[in-house]
Amino acid sequence: MKVAVLTGGGDCPGLNAVIRSVVRKGVQEYSFDFVGVRDGWLGLLKNHVVPLDISSVRGILPRGGTILGSSRTNPFKHENGLQRVRETLAAHDVDALVVIGGEDTLGTAAELTRHGIKIVGVPKTIDNDVSGTDYTFGFDTAVGIATEAIDRLHTTAESHMRALVVEVMGRHSGWIALHAGIAGGANVILIPERPFDIDQVCELVRRRFEINYAPIVVVAEGALPKEGQMILKDQSLDEFGHVRLSGIGEWLAQEISARTQKDARTTVLGHIQRGGTPSPFDRWLATRFGLHAIGAVEEGDFGCMVALRGTDIVRVPLADATARNKVVEPSLYDEFEVFFG
């Protein structure tokens, strides 16, 4: 059997660990042949496929990013996209495809599965918003990076007695903001699932200043003010229909300064959260996902995604895993309100 491996969407710490795991077990235990698809779905549209073997994956475990490259390409948005995908797979005698990605990449994989292409999915995203799995790899690393940034910002905020707004990633879900905000001792945490009242935010900031402490506000990029509009970087859309977020942090800092008469500054972590070496947990989880994904290929269990449930790796239908985003439950957010202000 010949298996192709593809990484799509945003880069993420742990992608290389999955590639390594899939290839090592596939070659050593099943005698599979492998090829790598360059730059996500774009590689299948452009017939950009490269050999992949054990020597190709040696030493890549601690490396961030992906040795195969990635893109936010949607093959169904390109002329004859489905046919071009089929032709590339046939030209290289590919029998099955291991697709490593988030909601958009796996959503495309689910659609291709309905067209008869044999696919096993692996969930990755720093946002941790893929349904069907308790955690995605990349999330732990992103939370660690954001938490360290918040820790560092506490000291400079207190030195100057100013409010600092930390904008983290999270388009539709506030998992990074909530985890890093709690771990870093933030005084206000704003997430997309809970539209916020700017007056209440400013009151929490004032309370912090009243006891001679400088407040830290952590906000997910997709957070929304009540009765307001999403703050956008611009109006352009990617091939999956997503706008470019970023800007809510700067807007918040301006509002806090104007309403409290206190200095407020913004730090946007952005792609820093995606880069660098993966955490030990993400290497461990990505490796397990890879082992189980190639096991599903060997058993012919296509149209599934491997997922973490508790401490077990299970398989769930791709269609179910991509039907909706996993968001922060209100009860979980409410648990931590005692720390706000």
Side-chain angles (χ1 to χ4, degrees):
M1 177 176 280
K2 181 179 281 188
V3 181
V5 182
L6 176 153
T7 56
D11 63 296
C12 177
L15 285 166
N16 287 323
V18 180
I19 298 168
R20 169 181 176 267
S21 180
V22 165
V23 173
R24 284 283 297 271
K25 184 172 183 179
V27 171
Q28 292 176 197
E29 294 199 13
Y30 306 134
S31 299
F32 288 168
D33 293 320
F34 286 90
V35 292
V37 178
R38 292 289 306 169
D39 303 326
W41 298 115
L42 185 63
L44 290 182
L45 294 176
K46 292 191 171 184
N47 192 22
H48 195 179
V49 175
V50 296
L52 199 58
D53 56 22
I54 288 181
S55 64
S56 305
V57 301
R58 191 167 290 126
I60 67 172
L61 176 64
R63 286 175 56 182
T66 165
I67 62 169
L68 294 176
S70 190
S71 70
R72 296 188 184 278
T73 302
N74 182 349
F76 292 102
K77 295 293 185 180
H78 292 254
E79 186 176 359
N80 299 320
L82 176 59
Q83 183 61 29
R84 290 160 67 185
V85 167
R86 291 187 190 276
E87 289 172 355
T88 299
L89 294 175
H92 297 274
D93 298 319
V94 171
D95 300 297
L97 189 59
V98 174
V99 174
I100 312 165
E103 54 170 322
D104 295 324
T105 302
L106 293 178
T108 299
E111 182 62 25
L112 289 171
T113 295
R114 287 189 278 270
H115 288 279
I117 296 176
K118 297 177 179 179
I119 295 176
V120 171
V122 177
K124 72 87 199 163
T125 170
I126 66 169
D127 290 337
N128 196 41
D129 60 355
V130 175
S131 295
T133 184
D134 291 348
Y135 287 99
T136 55
F137 68 87
F139 173 67
D140 184 72
T141 303
V143 168
I145 292 167
T147 301
E148 182 181 357
I150 296 166
D151 288 345
R152 292 176 180 274
L153 290 169
H154 271 293
T155 58
T156 187
E158 290 168 5
S159 295
H160 296 274
M161 286 306 292
R162 62 167 59 116
L164 286 182
V165 178
V166 186
E167 182 184 309
V168 300
M169 286 186 168
R171 177 180 297 274
H172 303 297
S173 61
W175 293 106
I176 294 176
L178 185 61
H179 280 242
I182 293 301
N187 310 111
V188 182
I189 300 171
L190 306 176
I191 62 175
E193 295 88 339
R194 181 75 62 92
F196 64 87
D197 184 334
I198 186 61
D199 291 328
Q200 183 181 29
V201 170
C202 290
E203 179 58 31
L204 293 172
V205 167
R206 287 192 192 95
R207 288 185 204 170
R208 194 68 176 171
F209 278 121
E210 286 172 359
I211 58 172
N212 293 318
Y213 282 98
I216 299 287
V217 178
V218 174
V219 57
E221 61 186 350
L224 289 167
K226 287 182 178 178
E227 300 178 358
Q229 293 182 332
M230 184 174 288
I231 309 300
L232 305 178
K233 199 175 189 68
D234 58 45
Q235 296 295 327
S236 61
L237 303 177
D238 65 18
E239 293 187 7
F240 292 95
H242 299 313
V243 294
R244 293 179 63 197
L245 297 184
S246 187
I248 185 65
E250 188 60 38
W251 181 85
L252 268 173
Q254 292 173 2
E255 290 293 317
I256 290 170
S257 290
R259 294 165 182 255
T260 67
Q261 306 304 307
K262 296 289 187 179
D263 189 20
R265 304 290 179 87
T266 306
T267 297
V268 180
L269 295 186
H271 289 85
I272 291 172
Q273 295 157 94
R274 291 191 180 280
T277 188
S279 69
F281 177 81
D282 279 339
R283 299 184 204 188
W284 176 87
L285 180 58
T287 297
R288 290 192 72 197
F289 277 162
L291 295 175
H292 285 261
I294 199 61
V297 171
E298 196 276 335
E299 294 176 17
D301 190 4
F302 301 112
C304 74
M305 181 191 82
V306 293
L308 180 69
R309 296 279 179 85
T311 58
D312 296 327
I313 305 295
V314 300
R315 300 172 191 169
V316 298
L318 265 172
D320 293 347
T322 57
R324 61 181 179 83
N325 283 30
K326 184 179 70 178
V327 296
V328 176
E329 294 293 333
S331 60
L332 180 61
Y333 183 82
D334 292 342
E335 281 185 24
F336 299 109
E337 284 191 319
V338 67
F339 296 108
F340 298 169

